[in-house]
Amino acid sequence: MNARTARPAGYGIRCARPGEAGAIAALLARAFAEDAVMAWMFPDADADAIAAGGAGGRARGTARFFALLQRQQRPRAGAVRVAATSGGQLLAAALWSGPGRWQPSAARELATMPRYAYVFGVRGLARAAGVQNALHDAHPDTPHWYLPTLGTDPGFQGTGVGSALVREQLAHCDRLGQPAYLESSMISNVPFYEGLGFRVTGEIRLPDGGPTLWPMWRDADADADADAGPRRR
């Protein structure tokens, strides 16, 4: 725990409230400020994306991106979960999709295209599509819970808040006998997820010289035989 980290006095895990979308997006933007994929998708010099969304740089662009992700997730019950104090301070947020629910329908994706253009700009839209296609191509077919996004406010990283938020859902996965899947965009985060029972299953290299992500799989019983693994397309 570093000097700027303050251990929260008390907090709980709950579903996000409708009025918290903006605060959650801002929290995730702060959490992903040093993320390699976000830096690649929102380069500071990308004036096209700034002009399209009035973003004014990577921080606002990523906040708008996470607001869009929430908009896609919210129709799914309990899909946006947070760790928060009793006073309403948000400490961490996680986006989950249940088995068979991770991929939006073609009609929904088409309807969302104008919002993607607003977030990424004309030039950035092609890059964002490349990221999405790479993740979709690597996604397992085996039914699972999917964790596309987990972020802890930088002021509370290292306090156990993020792991508590994930463990709450993983306990549910274990009760249902269902596995979980995610992609880690930072190699430094792999040990964190391994501590939660995930294991690396390969690498996802983004197109056009983009960064690498590490897909990770967790069986419902973390002590189960790891040889089974996920099926892939």
Side-chain angles (χ1 to χ4, degrees):
M1 193 183 307
N2 58 40
R4 67 175 181 166
T5 301
R7 184 173 296 278
Y11 62 90
I13 310 298
R14 60 171 172 78
C15 294
R17 295 165 181 161
E20 293 177 326
I24 292 170
L27 182 156
L28 291 173
R30 292 192 299 273
F32 281 78
E34 305 298 326
D35 182 80
V37 174
M38 289 295 105
W40 188 69
M41 292 175 69
F42 292 98
D44 289 334
D46 192 350
D48 194 30
I50 294 171
R58 185 184 303 159
R60 290 188 184 178
T62 53
R64 287 194 166 124
F65 172 65
F66 287 122
L68 177 58
L69 287 188
Q70 287 182 82
R71 187 184 184 97
Q72 292 178 305
Q73 290 287 114
R74 283 185 180 277
R76 307 176 181 119
V80 182
R81 303 190 67 80
V82 298
T85 66
S86 58
Q89 181 182 11
L90 300 177
L91 310 176
L95 277 56
W96 284 96
S97 296
R101 305 290 299 276
W102 67 271
Q103 188 172 16
S105 67
R108 187 170 183 82
E109 285 194 328
L110 184 62
T112 309
M113 283 300 295
R115 296 191 178 93
Y116 273 107
Y118 174 73
V119 170
F120 292 103
V122 177
R123 287 187 299 171
L125 193 58
R127 179 169 286 190
V131 173
Q132 184 180 53
N133 291 338
L135 297 185
H136 283 192
D137 289 346
H139 209 98
D141 284 338
T142 303
H144 60 276
W145 284 84
Y146 178 41
L147 177 63
T149 304
L150 169 69
T152 301
D153 190 288
F156 296 97
Q157 290 175 2
T159 64
V161 171
S163 59
L165 181 57
V166 179
R167 287 182 191 281
E168 192 247 9
Q169 176 60 43
L170 294 180
H172 180 62
C173 292
D174 288 342
R175 288 192 296 270
L176 296 175
Q178 296 173 335
Y181 173 76
L182 59 85
E183 304 101 358
S184 177
S185 55
M186 301 286 283
I187 189 66
S188 58
N189 288 337
V190 166
F192 168 81
Y193 291 115
E194 288 177 333
L196 295 170
F198 288 88
R199 58 184 176 83
V200 174
T201 60
E203 291 185 352
I204 302 172
R205 298 184 183 274
L206 298 184
D208 303 321
T212 298
L213 295 92
W214 290 266
M216 303 189 72
W217 182 265
R218 180 188 185 274
D219 291 308
D221 179 359
D223 296 325
D225 183 0
D227 292 336
R231 297 193 306 270
R232 296 194 179 279
R233 288 187 176 90

